Amino acid sequence: MIVSSMSDLAVDLTALKHNYRQLRGLCDPGVKFMGVVKADAYGHGLLPVARALADEGADYLGVGSLEEGLSLRQAGLNLPVLLLLGILPEEAAPAVAADLEVALFRLDVAQALAAAASSQGKKAGVHLKVDTGMGRLGLIPEEVLPFLEGLRACPQLEVLGLTSHLAVADQEDKSYTLRQLEQFTGVIRAARDRGWELPLSHIANSAALWELKEAHFALVRPGIMLYGSPPAAERPVPVALQPVMSYTTRVLQVKRLSAGCSISYGRTYTTREECDLAVLPVGYANGYSRLLSNRGEVLIRGRRAPIRGRVCMNLTMVEVTHLKGVQAGEPVVLLGPLGEDRLTGDDLAGWAQTISYEIYLALGNANPRRHVGG
Ligand SMILES: *Cc1c(COP(=O)(O)O)cnc(C)c1O
């Protein structure tokens, strides 16, 4: 057997659809729903995830690049798609040709889009990106009205709405988020006073979707909760989300070490007593973070087994002394349920000092994915 084929990264599209329905249920019927599928659907696989969301009736998809937008179109997905990070001027023609909408914050891009739309006899849908306090992409609020004035020379552009992003919507203290919402509402009002209709403004990520109905506006754009994790590990969400990704493998070797043996590179763990060790055919080449060294746990027979020593490129060692008689070939869960217990993206993220988003991306990008359900 090929060692790498002992591992299995599964993406459960039935769980994804369940999460979609839970989130949809938190929104008023008139609110549109954009499934955020950037970065290869957070490592879950762009096309299977996009198809599942489209099947469920998602109104929009949000992607990170022109390439992702084009692959949705090539796969025959016809729903509206927003390029969340905008485009470069040279990407305007293919974006317009594929009817991809663009987050807009540069005048040269606006002009390129207008020219492409004009030569293709089309309109280009844009969402004006405003920085209301995220300190990342977008025009600062004072720039919005002058920018819109500049767009009057580009009648080929259809300004569908303003869009912004929230910096701390996942925190319990909502004061900064409410200030961002105030800024956002303020610029929308000012633009409307000058005749811009803006039917489709939006700002809500997952955190704002479940905690701040006043942030829903015309459209919500959740990502992480679709994939089954709360935006902040320490704040459980009020809906029953189902984890979508799981990752399992099998024990490659079991051995008994005596007291005083060191394990793995750097000799960062030394056995105190006799120790049964299971070697797993998974490592950081599989997106299993080296930061899990001496910190993470896996599930064998539904019980926890702690990682001993450093996670290697293709191998990880766990202690199974307490499990008595673990055999080569036994199933091991690195992410997901086994028996009564389960390891979540947030469990791994906690051990690796990151967020569940990065765990899913790393595992999903580094392993062949098997999509199930749907
Ligand atoms: C990634 C992203 C989202 C989704 O955020 P989640 O925290 O995953 O819900 C929404 N909007 C923009 C602009 C994003 O980049």
Side-chain angles (χ1 to χ4, degrees):
M1 191 196 297
I2 302 164
V3 168
S4 66
S5 75
M6 295 171 75
S7 301
D8 178 43
L9 190 129
V11 174
D12 182 352
L13 297 173
T14 304
L16 177 86
K17 289 182 170 185
H18 164 89
N19 297 338
Y20 171 86
R21 289 191 293 268
Q22 294 288 310
L23 296 181
R24 179 61 111 174
L26 298 175
C27 304
D28 288 339
V31 173
K32 291 194 188 237
F33 194 107
M34 176 189 295
V36 176
V37 293
K38 68 189 183 201
D40 208 11
Y42 291 35
H44 292 69
L46 176 66
L47 294 181
V49 166
R51 277 196 205 99
L53 294 174
D55 284 352
E56 285 298 306
D59 304 287
Y60 255 88
L61 295 171
V63 297
S65 66
L66 174 65
E67 203 183 354
E68 288 185 328
L70 293 177
S71 62
L72 291 176
R73 291 295 185 242
Q74 276 149 20
L77 286 147
N78 293 321
L79 66 173
V81 171
L82 175 61
L83 304 181
L84 293 163
L85 311 184
I87 56 167
L88 299 173
E90 56 269 33
E91 296 175 319
V96 171
D99 295 311
L100 301 170
E101 296 171 16
V102 173
L104 183 64
F105 45 88
R106 272 170 57 170
L107 210 49
D108 60 339
V109 171
Q111 287 155 354
L113 279 168
S118 173
S119 71
Q120 297 179 33
K122 283 183 157 185
K123 286 242 172 189
V126 297
H127 303 229
L128 207 61
K129 179 94 178 178
V130 189
D131 180 1
T132 57
M134 173 70 183
R136 202 173 72 175
L137 269 187
L139 303 164
I140 58 171
E142 294 71 31
E143 293 175 313
V144 170
L145 293 181
F147 192 93
L148 282 169
E149 280 313 308
L151 293 192
R152 291 199 196 276
C154 304
Q156 306 86 346
L157 298 191
E158 195 174 354
V159 184
L160 294 163
L162 301 190
T163 175
S164 189
H165 198 42
L166 297 168
V168 285
D170 57 331
Q171 291 180 6
E172 186 160 4
D173 180 352
K174 292 289 184 274
S175 48
Y176 189 82
T177 301
L178 292 175
R179 265 190 284 153
Q180 282 199 260
L181 291 182
E182 230 170 83
Q183 285 270 344
F184 193 53
T185 317
V187 274
I188 292 172
R189 197 181 308 117
R192 283 192 174 147
D193 285 347
R194 280 158 187 79
W196 298 89
E197 231 175 286
L198 308 178
L200 204 61
S201 292
H202 48 96
I203 192 167
N205 54 7
S206 292
L209 190 161
W210 72 269
E211 281 201 293
L212 279 172
K213 211 150 192 196
E214 63 265 48
H216 286 195
F217 292 88
L219 176 149
V220 294
R221 351 173 271 262
I224 194 67
M225 285 174 74
L226 286 171
Y227 306 104
S229 286
E234 68 280 9
R235 309 201 51 241
V237 296
V239 290
L241 299 176
Q242 294 176 1
V244 176
M245 184 183 288
S246 60
Y247 188 41
T248 59
T249 189
R250 289 176 183 279
V251 174
L252 184 61
Q253 188 195 358
V254 181
K255 62 165 58 150
R256 179 156 296 169
L257 296 179
S258 49
C261 292
S262 64
I263 295 168
S264 193
Y265 289 120
R267 306 187 66 205
T268 59
Y269 186 88
T270 302
T271 57
R272 272 180 223 122
E273 299 163 15
E274 201 173 61
C275 163
D276 287 343
L277 199 68
V279 183
L280 313 180
V282 162
Y284 56 82
N286 307 97
Y288 196 66
S289 174
R290 192 166 170 278
L291 291 167
L292 294 162
S293 300
N294 287 313
R295 299 174 60 101
E297 296 171 345
V298 304
L299 295 176
I300 298 177
R301 299 180 182 169
R303 299 195 38 210
R304 304 267 170 141
I307 296 175
R308 297 301 192 210
R310 289 210 179 127
V311 171
C312 307
M313 192 178 288
N314 294 117
L315 295 169
T316 295
M317 278 60 71
V318 297
E319 176 154 5
V320 294
T321 317
H322 57 302
L323 299 180
K324 308 245 187 297
V326 167
Q327 305 286 319
E330 275 200 53
V332 181
V333 168
L334 302 116
L335 172 69
L338 186 65
E340 306 278 274
D341 205 354
R342 117 175 354 267
L343 297 176
T344 66
D346 283 313
D347 290 330
L348 272 75
W351 294 319
Q353 300 164 58
T354 182
I355 51 178
S356 61
Y357 300 64
E358 195 179 5
I359 296 293
Y360 296 139
L361 266 167
L363 293 175
N365 284 339
N367 294 288
R369 289 176 294 234
R370 185 171 61 88
H371 290 91
V372 299

